[in-house]
Amino acid sequence: SQNLKSQFPSARRIIAVGDVHGGSKSFLRCLRSAGVADERGDWCGGDTVLVQVGDVLDRGVDEAGCVETLLRLRHQSRKSGGNVVVLLGNHEILNADQDFRYAASGQFSHWKVAGGIVEKLLDVMKGKRARLFQRGCGPMAMFLSSCPVVVQIGDSVFCHGGLTPATLSHGFQQLND
């Protein structure tokens, strides 16, 4: 286990955003509205902490743009005393488990084309996606392995969905490891 950070010091300002689902344009509008991204999409949030509470993946067509934005803003935010914390949501877990049923390619699954062209294209797309999420070596798998499930920032706790008392009894660090 890599001992993902579970606790962070209090922050003057915390912005939490969830369920981006590959909608990079809407995500950027949200970040601009919250005052953490400028018109170019660069960090302008100073010492603010942005928490993305999961579900960056699936449904939308620009997951890569969302992940790239988060990584860029994380790097930029740290230069001004801020941070970007990305948590795992259920859709990240589904993809890590090679369950791609909610991936955007699913929007074509109802198409019927002579010769099975759409089916062949979907198979190719699923194969590429499977390689991205292959445990231990896929670039998206490696990114996801760096994301915790739950964090505490000061006296605020963030996770995707919720935590049961039984789950909480393990402690945040064990949940993340």
Side-chain angles (χ1 to χ4, degrees):
S1 84
Q2 55 179 309
N3 288 323
L4 297 176
K5 192 167 182 179
S6 297
Q7 294 188 307
F8 295 84
S10 295
R12 181 185 60 79
R13 182 171 180 247
I14 302 170
I15 300 292
V17 177
D19 296 88
V20 174
H21 287 295
S24 61
K25 290 179 184 176
S26 297
F27 182 40
L28 278 171
R29 278 194 304 271
C30 178
L31 297 175
R32 288 184 192 112
S33 176
V36 295
D38 63 20
E39 286 304 311
R40 293 186 322 268
D42 290 323
W43 184 259
C44 66
D47 62 357
T48 299
V49 175
L50 170 65
V51 181
Q52 200 296 318
V53 293
D55 284 3
V56 173
L57 302 178
D58 292 336
R59 296 196 174 110
V61 296
D62 194 15
E63 300 165 314
C66 293
V67 171
E68 289 168 3
T69 295
L70 287 164
L71 292 174
R72 183 181 70 254
L73 292 179
R74 176 188 287 165
H75 176 73
Q76 294 172 349
S77 68
R78 291 177 176 171
K79 293 179 181 178
S80 61
N83 200 2
V84 174
V85 179
V86 181
L87 302 181
L88 295 177
N90 58 303
H91 284 267
E92 285 75 33
I93 303 298
L94 287 168
N95 279 268
D97 286 340
Q98 301 281 305
D99 182 343
F100 306 133
R101 68 185 131 161
Y102 297 105
S105 62
Q107 66 186 311
F108 303 111
S109 61
H110 65 281
W111 289 14
K112 303 292 182 218
V113 178
I117 294 169
V118 170
E119 289 79 9
K120 290 176 187 172
L121 177 62
L122 286 172
D123 287 343
V124 168
M125 291 170 66
K126 287 178 183 174
K128 287 183 179 184
R129 190 172 186 93
R131 286 190 295 280
L132 285 171
F133 288 93
Q134 185 176 354
R135 289 188 184 190
C137 63
M140 281 302 296
M142 301 307 285
F143 166 68
L144 295 179
S145 72
S146 72
C147 299
V149 174
V150 59
V151 294
Q152 181 174 353
I153 302 172
D155 60 1
S156 298
V157 175
F158 298 89
C159 70
H160 185 82
L163 297 168
T164 66
T167 303
L168 280 172
S169 70
H170 297 290
F172 295 161
Q173 195 61 54
Q174 186 177 348
L175 291 173
N176 288 333
D177 291 343

